[in-house]
């Protein structure tokens, strides 16, 4: 008798919670966005609460992967039969939770004058779609292939955030792991495009997966590194080695001065969970890579992990528009700065 009362109570509580969330569809998005901001602040201080939030997100995705098995166990244990409508709503809630949770991390690190802006704008668009029921249920959900891609993208985005927080993976490792999981999840959508019963169906599907993975890897520079943030980037003729600070900033100089004094590129990178990966300065002249230099990282968490490169060997014809990109080992852009070299005065 007591067990039956507990089952009824648990069922009523679950149904009431679902009813309240359905009554206020934007509530979960607001809570997820707030938890994302809180996690971004808390992880900067190495607080365990940020890890707990990330762990909760990971378990919500595991729940989706074990959906059928869990529904059977809930029905056997509590006598609760979850309707397809409720299951679809929970799936929408997890999408909202994931996208809005990750959004603050990407908004903080995106270089808006780079292709990364497209990736972050896509996250914002997907988050908006997950929030608007007519778009989510009538336009997206009926299209199975598109819906699976949306599902895999949501997982890919949230993994880029929670893998560095939970497992302290490097940006490159997180990107590769998240990409592999997202590509595997896209397998069902690719399978529906090919007819059943043919021996070549599986090999062709595997080739499509390999091509998809290779294509995504080629676009990796457009994915902002969610776990890293550039706090300072400056060009100068000098660096204070004691204070670890750059001298007066430079945006334009002539070729004679450049060849005579060279140029320091100073960088400070914020890595809340510690910086345990290789970072490079890539020097480009008129869009062409001229040099790639590994940084010697030092400094503390409050000022960011500071490093600089002193480039002195410039091409004889150094005039033009230059960029110094700060990138990870997997070529993900952390930030960049630009300067212009004008002809020498005697020219």
């Amino acid at each position: 008798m007591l067990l039956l009362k507990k089952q009824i109570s648990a069922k009523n509580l679950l149904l009431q919670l679902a009813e309240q969330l359905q009554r206020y569809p934007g509530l979960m998005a607001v809570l997820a966005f707030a938890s994302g901001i809180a996690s971004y602040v808390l992880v900067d201080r190495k607080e365990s609460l940020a890890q707990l939030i990330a762990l909760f997100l990971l378990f919500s995705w595991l729940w989706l992967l074990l959906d059928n098995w869990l529904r059977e166990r809930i029905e056997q244990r509590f006598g609760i039969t979850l309707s397809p409508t409720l299951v679809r709503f929970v799936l929408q809630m997890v999408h909202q939770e994931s996208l809005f949770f990750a959004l603050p991390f990407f908004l903080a690190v995106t270089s808006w004058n780079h292709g990364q802006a497209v990736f972050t704008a896509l996250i914002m668009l997907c988050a908006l779609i997950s929030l608007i029921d007519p778009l989510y249920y009538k336009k997206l959900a009926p299209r199975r292939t598109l819906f699976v891609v949306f599902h895999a993208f949501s997982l890919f985005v949230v993994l880029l955030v929670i893998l560095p927080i939970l497992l302290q993976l490097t940006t490159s490792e997180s990107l590769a792991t998240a990409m592999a999981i997202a590509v595997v999840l896209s397998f069902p959508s690719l399978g529906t495009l090919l007819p059943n019963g043919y021996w070549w169906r599986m090999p062709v599907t595997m080739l499509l997966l390999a091509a998809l993975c290779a294509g995504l890897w080629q676009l990796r520079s457009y994915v902002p590194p969610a776990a890293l943030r550039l706090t300072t980037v400056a060009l100068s003729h000098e660096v204070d080695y004691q204070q670890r600070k750059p001298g007066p900033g430079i945006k334009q100089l002539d070729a004679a001065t450049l060849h005579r004094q060279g140029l320091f590129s100073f960088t400070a990178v914020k890595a809340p969970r510690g910086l345990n990966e290789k970072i490079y300065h890539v020097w480009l002249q008129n869009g062409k890579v001229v040099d790639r230099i590994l940084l010697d990282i030092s400094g503390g968490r409050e000022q960011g992990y500071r490093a600089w490169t002193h480039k002195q060997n410039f091409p004889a014809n150094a005039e033009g528009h230059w960029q110094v990109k700060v990138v990870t080992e997997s070529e993900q852009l952390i930030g960049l700065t630009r300067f212009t070299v004008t002809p020498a005065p005697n020219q």
Side-chain angles (χ1 to χ4, degrees), residues 18-48:
E19 183 181 348
Q20 290 298 320
L21 289 174
Q22 286 178 314
R23 183 178 299 177
Y24 304 103
L27 179 61
M28 180 52 66
V30 173
L31 292 176
F33 189 74
S35 68
I37 295 175
S39 296
Y40 184 80
V41 174
L42 291 172
V43 76
D44 194 35
R45 301 174 183 174
K46 285 193 113 172
E47 296 284 348
S48 59

Side-chain angles (χ1 to χ4, degrees), residues 253-256 258-259 285-286 313-322 339-343:
L253 71 166
D254 61 76
L258 180 69
H259 284 108
Q285 180 188 17
N286 298 323
N313 55 331
F314 287 89
N317 183 18
E319 294 86 356
H321 299 286
W322 285 76
F339 67 100
T340 303
V341 177
T342 58

Side-chain angles (χ1 to χ4, degrees), residues 23 88 123 196:
R23 183 178 299 177
R88 286 197 299 269
I123 297 176
N196 289 312

